[in-house]
Amino acid sequence: MTSTILPNYFLNLSTTVASALQEDVGAGDLTAQLIASNTQANAKIVCREAAIICGRPWFEEVFRQIDASIQIDWHITEGQAVAANQLICTLQGSARAILTAERTALNFLQTLSATATVTAQYVAQLKNTHTQLLDTRKTLPGLRLAQKYAVKCGGGCNHRMGLYDAILIKENHIMAAGGIAQAVNLAKTLHPGVSIEVETENLAEVKQALMAGANIIMLDNFSYEQMHAAVMLVSGQAKLEVSGNVEIDQLAHLAKTGVDFISSGALTKHIKAIDLSMRFEML
């Protein structure tokens, strides 16, 4: 279930960066004031582990907002796989500015690279299958577009961007609306042409969602046997998505059931920041 609206991943980039800098720098970097204002420096960013590098636009924007004269020379491309201890980029300019921007810039780069790296690892498990890997809305607050972008860099696909671009009818929606059929029918009436997905917990609900005309049916925490049965029951009349506690070592097995999508919140919330470091050299 990819979003029906093509996202502009960089829509709020400058605002996001400004907010992050306000959080860290505030009224000014007190420690940087210990360095003479005319001091120039070089710096190297090194990746300490194998990773997919992602987040250059956010990294660059941090330095632009601190001091646009800082020169950044990239040694890798966005979305490139790198080895441990590989040089990522070099910087040259005001020592004060480089040190002030360092942590915020690295925070963006290490976090987005983490999502891209995990996504690439998951996607590799689905090689030679028709099943696509989807992200979720379980993103870090304020980094929705950035992390969705990182998923794309890692080879995954985006689920809906938010509550505004597609309909996902879950258990509580079904209960409040009076049933699956009622919820789907109302969704079609209110938002014609918008993709409608229904979360189901058993085969009876799968049948109800199919009869109601759902475009996508989510199989939430189904067993492998139930997934096979759902694929047979739906028989291509709707797309099927598997969700719920999906682990990387399950992916190939899940894909063999014939489902169209596997979604995982782990891509954006169960991540460990990539180990990046800055080496500083005075001129």
Side-chain angles (χ1 to χ4, degrees):
M1 173 188 176
T2 53
S3 172
T4 56
I5 299 176
L6 292 176
N8 180 352
Y9 295 105
F10 312 117
L11 183 64
N12 61 357
L13 186 151
S14 63
T15 302
T16 299
V17 168
S19 177
L21 286 172
Q22 178 59 37
E23 181 179 68
D24 194 38
V25 181
D29 182 349
L30 302 182
T31 311
Q33 294 173 16
L34 304 178
I35 303 170
S37 61
N38 62 348
T39 302
Q40 298 291 297
N42 286 334
K44 297 179 179 180
I45 306 297
V46 176
C47 187
R48 296 299 187 185
E49 59 185 304
I52 303 294
I53 299 300
C54 175
R56 279 180 40 166
W58 287 265
F59 183 94
E60 291 170 353
E61 180 65 13
V62 170
F63 283 97
R64 188 195 70 78
Q65 290 192 22
I66 292 295
D67 183 346
S69 69
I70 294 174
Q71 298 178 20
I72 304 175
D73 181 18
W74 290 99
H75 293 256
I76 54 90
T77 57
E78 183 80 332
Q80 180 180 329
V82 300
N85 298 316
Q86 185 166 338
L87 179 64
I88 303 303
C89 69
T90 56
L91 304 100
Q92 183 174 349
S94 163
R96 278 188 177 185
I98 292 174
L99 290 171
T100 297
E102 174 188 3
R103 176 41 49 205
T104 301
L106 290 180
N107 282 349
F108 279 112
L109 199 63
Q110 69 186 19
T111 300
L112 299 184
S113 294
T115 286
T117 301
V118 171
T119 300
Q121 293 168 352
Y122 273 55
V123 169
Q125 299 298 311
L126 298 176
K127 187 178 180 180
N128 298 323
T129 76
H130 82 278
T131 305
Q132 293 182 303
L133 178 69
L134 301 180
D135 53 25
T136 70
R137 287 169 46 241
K138 297 173 182 177
T139 54
L140 298 174
L143 288 182
R144 171 68 54 82
L145 291 176
Q147 284 196 287
K148 292 274 190 178
Y149 166 80
V151 167
K152 293 288 285 186
C153 278
C157 299
N158 296 146
H159 206 284
R160 58 180 178 164
M161 300 305 292
L163 297 174
Y164 57 85
D165 62 333
I167 295 171
L168 174 50
I169 301 170
K170 307 187 80 169
E171 178 185 8
N172 290 333
H173 299 107
I174 293 168
M175 183 180 301
I180 290 176
Q182 293 90 327
V184 172
N185 289 336
L186 185 55
K188 289 180 177 180
T189 300
L190 293 175
H191 304 287
V194 175
S195 176
I196 300 173
E197 179 170 4
V198 176
E199 179 185 67
T200 61
E201 297 181 347
N202 53 59
L203 290 173
E205 291 184 349
V206 170
K207 186 173 183 179
Q208 292 175 45
L210 182 63
M211 293 179 64
N215 304 106
I216 306 169
I217 301 173
M218 179 186 292
L219 311 178
D220 186 38
N221 288 304
F222 274 45
S223 67
Y224 291 117
E225 293 74 18
Q226 289 174 316
M227 290 178 201
H228 278 291
V231 170
M232 295 295 291
L233 174 62
V234 172
S235 190
Q237 298 174 74
K239 298 292 186 180
L240 290 174
E241 174 188 339
V242 169
S243 182
N245 300 312
V246 175
E247 301 289 343
I248 189 170
D249 58 359
Q250 299 174 309
L251 292 172
H253 196 22
L254 291 172
K256 289 180 181 178
T257 65
V259 296
D260 302 284
F261 307 116
I262 298 174
S263 59
S264 175
L267 307 179
T268 51
K269 70 184 182 78
H270 292 168
I271 54 171
K272 176 180 176 292
I274 297 301
D275 187 5
L276 303 173
S277 68
M278 176 185 284
R279 295 176 177 174
F280 204 69
E281 299 175 354
M282 306 301 293
L283 294 181

